[in-house]
Amino acid sequence: MLRYLVFLISTCMFANGLNWHSSQIMLKYLYNVQDKQFALAEEYLELETKRIHELQRFLVPIVDWYINYSFTKEKFILSHIDSIKMMTWIHKDLSTIKKIMSNKQSVEVFKQFEEHKAISELNIQSAYRALRRIQKVYAIPASDMAVGKYKDRIIGDPMDACECNVMSKYSVEEYDTYGAIEWALQTYNKWLMDRPKCVDIDKLYYYIRLASMSTGFNFENLSNFSNLNHFGNIDYITRYFSLIENELNIRDINAESTDIYHIYDNFEQLSRNKNFRNLCRTGKSARPLTCESKCRYQTKNSPYWILMPFKEEDISINPSIKLYHDIIYDEEIELITKMASIDVSKLLDAHYVPRYHVDDIKICFTLKLTDAAFYFNGKISLVDEQRLGQLKWFSESSDPMLFGKLNERIECITEYSTKTAEGYQVVNYGLGGHFSEHVDAFTDGPKSNGNRLVTILFYMTDVPEDGYTVFPNINFVAHCRKGTALVWQNLYLNNGSVNSGTIHGGCPVIKGNKWIMTKGLYEEGQHLTYNWRDNKIITIV
């Protein structure tokens, strides 16, 4: 994952301004774009080399002729016939030179290359934020991330001085002073090995000095910051580098003394936010088991499901949360992820899913994966800090057979109708992909079909060591296990108010490919004890 940021920077001339790191699908597409652009670059180089050689072959005899002409030019000028010959030769030669210099084939290849706009600075900043988000949530020191590890896991290749310098640069620009110090020190330590030109040492010293003054760490006792820009201080900084690391205490996140991530956590005013991070870091639920908590084979009194009952596990009574194992099958997952990933042209060329009619395919693939939005109080926003991923909506008409079967299962396990439900939302997460704490129910008033009564969250990949779904108010952590589904009730069934226990979020993905699919069931058409149309104001209890 660490290499994705570097990859984004190195391919900045090969792609347009999409949020490339927001999903694995987009990153794969970016690699394909890079391959195509490299092929264009090689073709352009080949054409230009051929053109230069052709121009050279053409100019050599002309130069030889010109040398001979310099000795006989008086003769050419005095002879009308020779003058006409000379004019004809010059016209022909200059026309040929112009033609060779303006090679249309090279120009056409160059135009193709230019059609893909550069990755914008905003894309790089967003990728930087994703790495910093992973650092903060999981409390990964820059010293560990720079060598590509988290605890005992390998999460990427080691980063060099240039890559660490990018992290330091954006930390300063984002006013992330602790991050600036962390990454500046890593940059400096690696810079000492071979002193690459990509690191402006004067700027790096400036980052350290500025961040030190802002954070209050007493580095003035370790180095003469009034004269840091002088190269004579390099040895001085080197001599006290270990002291600086000890001052920051970023070597061991399990140390008893205060480390830098405790400071980040103290910035959080809400205990729920702190608890969210702690649950993401440990990956362990802190909820007590009760006598009502059970695991069972569930048939819902359906003769059809007696032969293949659901594996149902009680997670919480209030709010009602259940986990279903093996509820969605591998072939269904493969079909859904392909539907979300492949465009119509590729699908038709490959004759994919032959049972479809062409019109059905076009309906299914009308929309491509798009940036996942965040909805709150009636407003939709694209803010990385709130949500980062790529999503695509599917209606039942996209594949009546597939989604019809899923609807039947949902109705069986929830005992609610799917006739008024929303479509299926498929989401793919990439570098730092996450969803901050939120409730699925609308808090700005009911919609045309009421509020989201129930949420069904299907896990379509395994991400065993991060990317959890966390319910901070009830201390529950759901691991991403392929084929399982988490089902919970967002509302109290006596009055339709929102249950605060359903506040949940998705932890950032450190490494792996996370696919999920959600569906919300609405109040309209359900047998409820209250009239949802009377709830003009939505309350969270």
Side-chain angles (χ1 to χ4, degrees):
M1 288 297 241
L2 298 178
R3 285 288 173 182
Y4 290 164
L5 174 63
V6 183
F7 172 72
L8 287 171
I9 298 168
S10 63
T11 57
C12 64
M13 60 194 303
F14 302 132
N16 58 32
L18 298 173
N19 225 350
W20 292 104
H21 66 288
S22 59
S23 78
Q24 292 286 335
I25 294 301
M26 295 301 296
L27 286 168
K28 288 179 181 178
Y29 178 67
L30 182 55
Y31 275 102
N32 292 335
V33 169
Q34 176 191 239
D35 292 340
K36 291 177 182 178
Q37 297 299 347
F38 279 154
L40 285 174
E42 289 178 356
E43 183 181 356
Y44 180 79
L45 179 61
E46 183 179 342
L47 289 170
E48 285 295 282
T49 303
K50 181 180 178 182
R51 180 177 67 85
I52 295 299
H53 288 164
E54 184 179 353
L55 185 61
Q56 186 181 27
R57 286 194 302 269
F58 185 75
L59 286 176
V60 168
I62 293 178
V63 172
D64 292 340
W65 173 85
Y66 180 78
I67 294 173
N68 294 329
Y69 160 74
S70 62
F71 296 106
T72 59
K73 59 183 178 182
E74 293 296 332
K75 175 186 173 184
F76 275 83
I77 293 173
L78 294 174
S79 171
H80 291 293
I81 295 175
D82 291 340
S83 295
I84 292 173
K85 288 182 180 180
M86 183 183 68
M87 291 173 63
T88 304
W89 291 337
I90 291 175
H91 173 70
K92 181 181 178 181
D93 292 344
L94 292 180
S95 298
T96 304
I97 291 172
K98 182 179 179 180
K99 183 179 179 181
I100 294 174
M101 292 180 67
S102 59
N103 190 326
K104 291 184 177 180
Q105 290 180 305
S106 299
V107 171
E108 289 302 317
V109 173
F110 185 72
K111 285 181 179 179
Q112 293 181 51
F113 194 85
E114 280 192 321
E115 285 177 1
H116 296 270
K117 297 180 181 179
I119 291 180
S120 69
E121 189 76 8
L122 293 176
N123 294 142
I124 307 301
Q125 286 180 327
S126 182
Y128 151 77
R129 291 191 195 103
L131 280 182
R132 286 296 292 153
R133 184 183 308 117
I134 290 173
Q135 267 197 282
K136 292 178 183 180
V137 171
Y138 294 104
I140 308 176
S143 55
D144 281 355
M145 184 164 275
V147 296
K149 71 175 184 178
Y150 169 49
K151 296 181 179 178
D152 296 328
R153 295 173 56 192
I154 300 299
I155 60 174
D157 295 334
M159 301 171 71
D160 59 27
C162 302
E163 296 154 5
C164 292
N165 189 51
V166 171
M167 295 296 291
S168 180
K169 171 181 178 290
Y170 282 116
S171 294
V172 171
E173 293 179 358
E174 296 278 326
Y175 303 102
D176 184 356
T177 50
Y178 294 102
I181 289 179
E182 269 202 300
W183 286 104
L185 294 177
Q186 292 302 316
T187 303
Y188 184 80
N189 200 25
K190 292 176 179 290
W191 175 82
L192 289 173
M193 298 177 184
D194 51 8
R195 306 199 175 191
K197 294 181 179 180
C198 61
V199 177
D200 185 332
I201 196 64
D202 287 337
K203 283 188 177 180
L204 188 64
Y205 287 153
Y206 170 74
Y207 296 160
I208 296 175
R209 181 171 66 244
L210 181 66
S212 300
M213 294 170 63
S214 300
T215 57
F217 287 117
N218 188 15
F219 288 109
E220 292 185 348
N221 294 332
L222 304 177
S223 179
N224 180 13
F225 281 96
S226 64
N227 196 25
L228 252 183
N229 290 330
H230 192 274
F231 280 88
N233 285 312
I234 292 176
D235 294 335
Y236 194 81
I237 291 287
T238 307
R239 193 184 316 158
Y240 291 105
F241 187 82
S242 60
L243 295 178
I244 296 174
E245 278 196 323
N246 289 334
E247 178 79 11
L248 284 173
N249 193 23
I250 57 178
R251 288 182 171 179
D252 183 6
I253 63 173
N254 296 317
E256 294 183 0
S257 57
T258 302
D259 65 40
I260 197 170
Y261 293 100
H262 290 164
I263 298 173
Y264 280 122
D265 292 342
N266 289 335
F267 288 155
E268 298 288 357
Q269 299 300 316
L270 296 176
S271 59
R272 182 186 75 229
N273 295 345
K274 294 181 181 179
N275 199 32
F276 175 80
R277 285 185 175 181
N278 289 333
L279 292 171
C280 286
R281 291 171 189 175
T282 63
K284 297 179 181 179
S285 300
R287 59 187 178 87
L289 293 174
T290 64
C291 58
E292 291 87 4
S293 300
K294 297 178 181 178
C295 297
R296 65 183 70 83
Y297 285 101
Q298 180 63 266
T299 64
K300 297 290 185 179
N301 298 319
S302 170
Y304 178 79
W305 294 110
I306 290 178
L307 297 176
M308 193 167 57
F310 299 112
K311 300 173 185 176
E312 183 182 76
E313 179 182 351
D314 292 330
I315 301 300
S316 170
I317 304 301
N318 182 27
S320 174
I321 304 177
K322 297 181 185 295
L323 183 66
Y324 291 89
H325 301 267
D326 304 321
I327 194 73
I328 184 170
Y329 311 131
D330 288 349
E331 58 271 19
E332 294 172 331
I333 291 172
E334 182 180 3
L335 178 57
I336 291 169
T337 54
K338 283 185 176 179
M339 288 167 62
S341 307
I342 305 175
D343 62 13
V344 179
S345 60
K346 290 182 179 178
L347 186 68
L348 293 175
D349 290 342
H351 303 289
Y352 176 67
V353 195
R355 72 168 181 268
Y356 281 122
H357 295 294
V358 173
D359 290 341
D360 295 331
I361 296 174
K362 288 181 179 178
I363 291 173
C364 174
F365 287 87
T366 301
L367 296 175
K368 295 181 179 180
L369 284 165
T370 57
D371 288 338
F374 179 75
Y375 181 93
F376 182 71
N377 283 343
K379 296 180 180 179
I380 298 176
S381 59
L382 291 170
V383 181
D384 288 359
E385 289 304 311
Q386 298 295 335
R387 191 181 189 187
L388 183 65
Q390 292 280 317
L391 66 80
K392 184 174 181 179
W393 286 92
F394 289 101
S395 65
E396 280 73 6
S397 61
S398 302
D399 188 328
M401 185 184 302
L402 170 64
F403 293 116
K405 288 181 179 179
L406 289 176
N407 283 345
E408 289 178 5
R409 280 172 233 165
I410 289 172
E411 289 182 346
C412 184
I413 61 178
T414 65
E415 298 181 334
Y416 289 114
S417 172
T418 60
K419 292 181 180 179
T420 59
E422 64 190 19
Y424 286 87
Q425 182 184 184
V426 178
V427 186
N428 183 228
Y429 292 101
L431 170 62
H434 76 119
F435 201 162
S436 62
E437 308 99 295
H438 64 284
V439 291
D440 285 351
F442 301 112
T443 57
D444 58 327
K447 308 306 172 186
S448 58
N449 285 333
N451 211 338
R452 282 193 183 118
L453 178 65
V454 175
T455 295
I456 301 94
L457 170 59
F458 294 95
Y459 295 105
M460 300 195 292
T461 49
D462 289 313
V463 186
E465 298 182 277
D466 52 78
Y468 317 117
T469 303
V470 168
F471 291 75
N473 285 0
I474 61 172
N475 294 318
F476 171 62
V477 178
H479 288 240
C480 190
R481 296 285 187 265
K482 185 178 181 181
T484 61
L486 203 61
V487 181
W488 66 87
Q489 289 186 344
N490 296 300
L491 311 178
Y492 286 100
L493 295 180
N494 60 338
N495 58 12
S497 57
V498 180
N499 191 326
S500 61
T502 63
I503 293 175
H504 64 285
C507 301
V509 178
I510 299 178
K511 186 176 183 179
N513 189 14
K514 181 179 178 181
W515 282 93
I516 64 167
M517 181 172 67
T518 64
K519 188 176 182 68
L521 307 185
Y522 286 81
E523 293 170 300
E524 174 64 19
Q526 316 297 352
H527 298 291
L528 303 173
T529 59
Y530 63 92
N531 185 356
W532 65 266
R533 297 183 186 277
D534 295 336
N535 290 340
K536 304 300 181 181
I537 300 176
I538 305 298
T539 56
I540 301 178
V541 181

